[in-house]
Amino acid sequence: MKKMKWILFLFSITNAILAQEAAPVQKFSLSPEHPNPGDEITITYIASDSPLQNAKNVTGVVYTFDNFKWLANDITMQPAGDKKWQTKMKLSDHASFISCVFKSDTLVDKGEKMPHAWMFEKVPGAYIGWGLLRSKPFQDQVPNIVHDSAYIKNEVGLMWANYELKYHPESRKRIFFEGLKLKQLVTGQDEAKLIKRELRFVLADNNLDNTAQYSIQKSLALLPLEANKAFVDSVQTVLLAKYPKGVLARDQEIRKVFMESAFDKKVKLYEAFEKNFPQSSFEDVYTDTESLFYDKMFKAIAYTYIVNNKDYNYAINSVKKVSFTNLLDYHWHLVSIPFNRDSDGIEKANIETLRKYSDAIIAEMESREAYVPKMYAGKLSLKEWQAKVLDYAAREYFTRAKLLEATKAYDLEEKYLAKIKPFFGYKDASYNEVYTRMLLRKGKTVEAKEYIAAAVKENQVTPEILASLKAIYLKEGGNEVGFEAYLQSLKSESNIQDHKKKLISELINLPIEGFELESSKGGKVKLADQKGKIVVLDFWAMWCGPCKNAMPGMQMAVKKYQNDDNVKFYFVDTQEYIKDFKAQTQAFIKEKGFDFTILYDGKNPKTGKLDQVYYKYSKAFKFSGIPEKMIIDQNGKLRWMSNGYFGSPSELLDEISIIVSYLKEENK
C-alpha cells in the first residue's frame, strides 16, 4: 500500500512539472485532460509574456517520442482570443512524450527552463524521452529544441532512466546504451562490469532490430579498448555471426570499400555491398561510420570514372541512390563549376550538356524535398527540412536558373528564380541582375523599377541593373543630368554611413616598396612616379573567377574617376602560367569593354613564377590569394587593403569611392 502511494505521488509531481502548474499562467496545455496515444487532441498555447506575445501568426513543430523514435510534425496555430492559439492534431499510436516549439517568423518560444512538454507516463518511453531531450550528452540523437536553461545534470538524466526501468522494465533493451552512458558519466568510474552484464543480457535476444544492434556498438565504445579487447572482439564476433547482413557488418563493409585503393576492386566491392546491404533495409539507423565514409565512398567511385575515362554516366545514372549532399556535390562539380568557368571566360563549356546534367540532378534534388532524410529524421519537421534545403541548395538552383536563361527556357527559369527569391531577394547583386532581366523581358517595367529600387537600397546592383534603371528613368521623362541625384535618393543613408564608418576604421598607414612593371598601354609604370596621386591596385589573373567577377565594380570605379588625373587604377596581372596570357588578357578586356590599364607582374627570381610584385607585397602585408585590392595615398603610403570579392559591384564602387574621398580630404 505504501509503495502504491509513493508511485502516485511521483506521478503527480511529474504532471505538475510538465503542465507547469507552478507558473503564474499556464502557457501550454492539452485537451482532453488525460489524452492517450492515438487520440485527437487540442493544443493550446498562450503567448502572453512570451517572445511571441505580439505575433500575428503562430506555427510550430510537435516533437513526439513514439516507440523510442522521434517524430517531428509541423502545426499551424489558429487564434483563439486574448493571445491564445490553438490547433488540433492526432497523436501517433505509440506516443509516450511530446514537446512543442512555437514560432512566428524569426521568433521562437521553446519554453526556456520548462519546455512545452507533456508526458504520457503509462506508455513505454515516457520517462526516458523526457530525460534524454534535456541531457546534453545525447544532443546528437534527439531534437535540439530545448533552451540552454532547460538542460539537466547527468544525475537527473540517470534518475529519469531509472524511472523508465522502474515503471516500464520492458524498455530495458531499448535504453541500455543511454543508461550505461549516463551511469558512467555520473560515477566517473570504470563501469566495465555493468556494461558487460547488460550486453550479455541484450545479446541473448536473437531478434535485435537495427537500432538495438547499433546501441550494442555504441555501448562497446564506452569500454577502454586495451583492457577489454577480448570482450569487444567476442561481442563483435557474435554480432557478425547472428546478423551477417546487420549494422556492424555494413559498417565494416563501408570502411572496406572506402579504404580500397585499387579502382576496379573498389567498384566490385561496392557492387557486392549494394546487393548485400540495400539502403532500404537501413532507413531506421544512421551510424557514425555511415556519416563519415558512405558519401565519400561513393563519390570516390563516381569521380574516378570521370577523371580516368571522362565517363559522366556513372554519376548521372546514380542520382536516385546517392544522398542529398552528394546531389549538391554533383551539381556543383558537374554543372556550376564548368558553367561559371564558361561565364568567366576561363574555359568553354557545352551548355546543352550542362543542361542535360542539371535536368537529371535538379529533378532528383527537388523530389527529395518531399521527405526528411534519415540523418534528420525526428530532428527536423518537413518544413524545417525544406528551409534547410533552400539554404543548402540556393546557389545550385541559381545556377539552374542562369542555365535555363542561357538555353532560352524562360518559363522554367522564372520558376527557379521565384523558388530562391526568399534566400537571395535584393541582397545578392548577381541574382538581382538576372531577376531584373527576367522582369523586363516579360514587360513588367513597373515591377522591375520597384525591384531595382529595393536592390539599390541594399547596395546590391550591377552596371547592367543601373543601365536598366536609367533607361526606365529616361523613358518616364527624366533627364541625364538628374539621374545621379535620383539614384542617390534611392540609397539608404544609414547603410552608407555605417559602411563609411567601418571602412575608415580599417585604414592603415604603412610604407610600401615601389615597382616598375610593363603596361598594356605601352612603356612601363613606376610606383615612384605616382607621388601626389592616389593609386588603386587590383591584383588578378585570367584563371581567377572571383577576380573577374569583381571587374564590373572596378569598371564603375574607373569610369567615375576617368577625368580625375589624381586617381590612377592599375590592374596587376599576376601568377599567369600560359605562354600567350598577354594576348588572352587583352582579348578578355576588349570583349568585356573594360577600360583598364593592365600591368604584367615580373618574373620572381625566388619562385621562377610571374609573381614578383605580388609575392613581395603578400609577404610584407601578410595576405594570400587574389583578388587583392590596395590603395596607396598621395604620399606613397599603403592606406587600405581588401582580399576577395563579396559579390556587389555597387558596394565595391562605394568602397573605392569612400577611401578615395577620405584620402583627398585628408590631404587638403
Side-chain angles (χ1 to χ4, degrees):
M1 185 65 181
K2 288 183 179 179
K3 184 176 181 182
M4 181 58 71
K5 286 182 179 177
W6 185 84
I7 293 172
L8 290 174
F9 179 69
L10 173 66
F11 284 162
S12 68
I13 289 176
T14 303
N15 280 324
I17 291 172
L18 294 178
Q20 301 177 50
E21 291 174 356
V25 179
Q26 189 171 323
K27 302 290 186 185
F28 169 76
S29 62
L30 305 184
S31 60
E33 190 175 350
H34 301 290
N36 295 304
D39 286 353
E40 182 176 75
I41 61 170
T42 297
I43 297 175
T44 299
Y45 167 62
I46 299 176
S48 56
D49 299 320
S50 80
L52 276 57
Q53 60 183 341
N54 297 317
K56 291 182 170 51
N57 57 77
V58 175
T59 61
V61 181
V62 178
Y63 299 88
T64 304
F65 200 48
D66 177 286
N67 203 21
F68 299 90
K69 298 283 187 183
W70 288 98
L71 310 173
N73 293 291
D74 295 295
I75 54 173
T76 300
M77 309 295 288
Q78 301 298 326
D82 195 22
K83 300 189 184 300
K84 181 187 292 186
W85 299 83
Q86 291 183 326
T87 193
K88 292 183 181 294
M89 68 169 285
K90 186 178 183 296
L91 288 171
S92 58
D93 291 339
H94 302 95
S96 59
F97 174 82
I98 64 170
S99 188
C100 299
V101 173
F102 300 104
K103 307 176 183 181
S104 181
D105 299 322
T106 59
L107 299 174
V108 179
D109 183 0
K110 301 178 178 181
E112 296 205 1
K113 188 173 182 179
M114 187 55 64
H116 303 302
W118 199 273
M119 179 190 290
F120 308 100
E121 65 268 11
K122 294 180 181 179
V123 185
Y127 297 97
I128 193 67
W130 176 230
L132 293 181
L133 185 70
R134 298 171 300 140
S135 294
K136 280 197 172 183
F138 302 99
Q139 279 183 303
D140 63 334
Q141 67 183 62
V142 303
N144 186 16
I145 59 169
V146 298
H147 190 272
D148 286 346
S149 63
Y151 283 112
I152 55 179
K153 294 180 179 180
N154 293 329
E155 290 84 352
V156 181
L158 183 60
M159 178 193 77
W160 286 107
N162 284 329
Y163 282 170
E164 180 69 34
L165 293 175
K166 184 176 181 68
Y167 299 112
H168 298 292
E170 67 273 28
S171 300
R172 183 175 175 184
K173 291 181 182 177
R174 310 302 296 271
I175 70 164
F176 65 92
F177 164 68
E178 290 79 7
L180 291 171
K181 184 171 182 177
L182 284 168
K183 178 72 170 178
Q184 193 170 68
L185 288 170
V186 168
T187 65
Q189 298 175 1
D190 184 353
E191 296 291 345
K193 185 176 180 180
L194 176 62
I195 294 170
K196 291 176 181 179
R197 186 188 72 195
E198 282 299 295
L199 292 185
R200 290 188 183 102
F201 168 76
V202 176
L203 280 168
D205 189 332
N206 292 318
N207 195 30
L208 297 175
D209 63 16
N210 288 336
T211 303
Q213 291 176 44
Y214 187 44
S215 290
I216 291 174
Q217 290 179 227
K218 291 190 289 184
S219 297
L220 288 175
L222 298 175
L223 293 167
L225 182 58
E226 187 174 343
N228 299 279
K229 188 176 185 307
F231 178 79
V232 171
D233 289 345
S234 67
V235 171
Q236 291 180 338
T237 299
V238 171
L239 277 176
L240 293 172
K242 284 188 173 184
Y243 308 101
K245 294 185 179 180
V247 178
L248 177 60
R250 179 174 182 264
D251 276 356
Q252 289 184 348
E253 284 302 304
I254 289 173
R255 285 179 174 272
K256 184 177 179 181
V257 179
F258 175 77
M259 296 299 293
E260 179 55 55
S261 58
F263 180 64
D264 290 343
K265 190 173 181 181
K266 183 189 281 286
V267 172
K268 289 180 180 179
L269 285 173
Y270 176 75
E271 289 171 350
F273 168 83
E274 194 175 33
K275 180 179 179 181
N276 292 325
F277 303 96
Q279 279 286 69
S280 58
S281 298
F282 296 90
E283 287 300 315
D284 57 344
V285 65
Y286 188 63
T287 70
D288 288 343
T289 295
E290 180 176 2
S291 172
L292 289 170
F293 300 112
Y294 186 87
D295 281 356
K296 295 174 185 175
M297 169 187 74
F298 196 91
K299 280 197 297 188
I301 296 172
Y303 290 148
T304 302
Y305 270 114
I306 293 171
V307 172
N308 289 353
N309 308 315
K310 302 299 180 186
D311 178 4
Y312 293 80
N313 291 325
Y314 187 89
I316 299 303
N317 293 337
S318 70
V319 295
K320 292 192 176 299
K321 62 185 179 184
V322 300
S323 70
F324 188 84
T325 303
N326 269 9
L327 288 172
L328 283 176
D329 198 81
Y330 277 3
H331 201 270
W332 169 247
H333 281 98
L334 305 187
V335 181
S336 291
I337 289 178
F339 182 81
N340 292 337
R341 290 176 69 83
D342 182 89
S343 300
D344 294 339
I346 296 171
E347 184 178 333
K348 285 293 182 183
N350 186 313
I351 300 300
E352 292 300 329
T353 299
L354 298 186
R355 168 73 190 274
K356 182 178 72 172
Y357 294 162
S358 182
D359 287 350
I361 299 168
I362 293 291
E364 185 60 27
M365 282 171 56
E366 291 193 287
S367 75
R368 305 289 183 89
E369 294 180 18
Y371 60 90
V372 181
K374 68 177 183 177
M375 70 178 70
Y376 295 114
K379 299 177 183 179
L380 297 179
S381 69
L382 182 58
K383 286 183 180 178
E384 288 173 326
W385 163 242
Q386 290 168 344
K388 188 173 283 290
V389 167
L390 184 61
D391 190 40
Y392 284 165
R395 292 283 170 189
E396 300 314 306
Y397 287 142
F398 186 34
T399 297
R400 170 78 169 164
K402 291 184 287 186
L403 186 55
L404 291 166
E405 181 185 40
T407 55
K408 294 182 168 52
Y410 297 131
D411 289 344
L412 268 179
E413 176 208 8
E414 185 176 358
K415 167 194 166 183
Y416 286 98
L417 289 176
K419 184 183 185 81
I420 59 179
K421 189 178 179 184
F423 184 87
F424 284 115
Y426 312 122
K427 297 183 183 299
D428 184 280
S430 296
Y431 175 86
N432 293 339
E433 180 175 287
V434 178
Y435 194 84
T436 300
R437 201 156 56 226
M438 179 271 294
L439 292 174
L440 292 173
R441 189 169 55 241
K442 292 172 68 67
K444 296 183 177 181
T445 306
V446 174
E447 192 175 335
K449 181 182 176 183
E450 292 173 351
Y451 189 89
I452 294 172
V456 170
K457 188 173 182 180
E458 294 292 337
N459 208 5
Q460 294 290 324
V461 293
T462 66
E464 181 182 319
I465 293 175
L466 292 178
S468 297
L469 179 62
K470 187 174 184 178
I472 295 170
Y473 173 78
L474 294 175
K475 190 174 182 180
E476 290 179 345
N479 57 61
E480 288 274 355
V481 176
F483 178 70
E484 188 60 35
Y486 167 68
L487 179 62
Q488 286 300 122
S489 73
L490 298 177
K491 294 183 177 182
S492 166
E493 184 61 30
S494 63
N495 286 352
I496 293 172
Q497 292 305 317
D498 288 346
H499 195 194
K500 181 176 181 179
K501 184 177 180 181
K502 178 178 180 296
L503 288 171
I504 299 305
S505 71
E506 295 171 350
L507 286 176
I508 54 180
N509 195 338
L510 299 172
I512 184 170
E513 285 190 55
F515 60 74
E516 183 177 355
L517 295 175
E518 178 188 350
S519 170
S520 62
K521 294 187 176 180
K524 292 189 175 183
V525 170
K526 288 184 179 181
L527 183 59
D529 293 341
Q530 311 301 313
K531 283 286 182 72
K533 297 179 172 60
I534 296 170
V535 177
V536 182
L537 300 179
D538 186 351
F539 288 86
W540 72 289
M542 278 294 290
W543 47 263
C544 172
C547 299
K548 292 180 173 181
N549 293 336
M551 285 183 170
M554 293 303 292
Q555 173 62 30
M556 293 167 75
V558 169
K559 185 176 181 181
K560 178 174 180 176
Y561 293 102
Q562 62 186 346
N563 297 320
D564 188 339
D565 194 48
N566 289 317
V567 182
K568 295 294 183 181
F569 289 81
Y570 296 111
F571 294 78
V572 183
D573 187 15
T574 187
Q575 302 174 10
E576 297 288 9
Y577 53 85
I578 54 175
K579 290 183 178 179
D580 63 341
F581 73 89
K582 292 182 182 179
Q584 289 199 26
T585 297
Q586 290 301 314
F588 170 74
I589 296 299
K590 183 178 180 180
E591 177 192 350
K592 297 296 183 181
F594 295 145
D595 183 18
F596 292 169
T597 298
I598 307 297
L599 304 183
Y600 302 111
D601 208 349
K603 189 171 183 178
N604 186 345
K606 292 184 178 180
T607 66
K609 299 176 181 178
L610 297 174
D611 66 353
Q612 183 182 23
V613 176
Y614 172 82
Y615 180 87
K616 176 170 60 176
Y617 287 173
S618 67
K619 295 299 181 185
F621 304 112
K622 297 179 173 54
F623 65 81
S624 63
I626 51 176
E628 172 70 28
K629 293 169 181 59
M630 310 174 83
I631 297 182
I632 300 165
D633 70 12
Q634 303 93 321
N635 300 311
K637 294 293 184 69
L638 176 62
R639 303 302 304 276
W640 184 74
M641 300 190 303
S642 177
N643 190 261
Y645 176 59
F646 305 103
S648 171
S650 59
E651 192 170 66
L652 178 56
L653 166 63
D654 283 355
E655 288 182 350
I656 301 296
S657 301
I658 288 169
I659 301 301
V660 169
S661 296
Y662 181 87
L663 296 180
K664 283 188 172 186
E665 287 296 316
E666 183 185 58
N667 203 52
K668 283 184 178 179

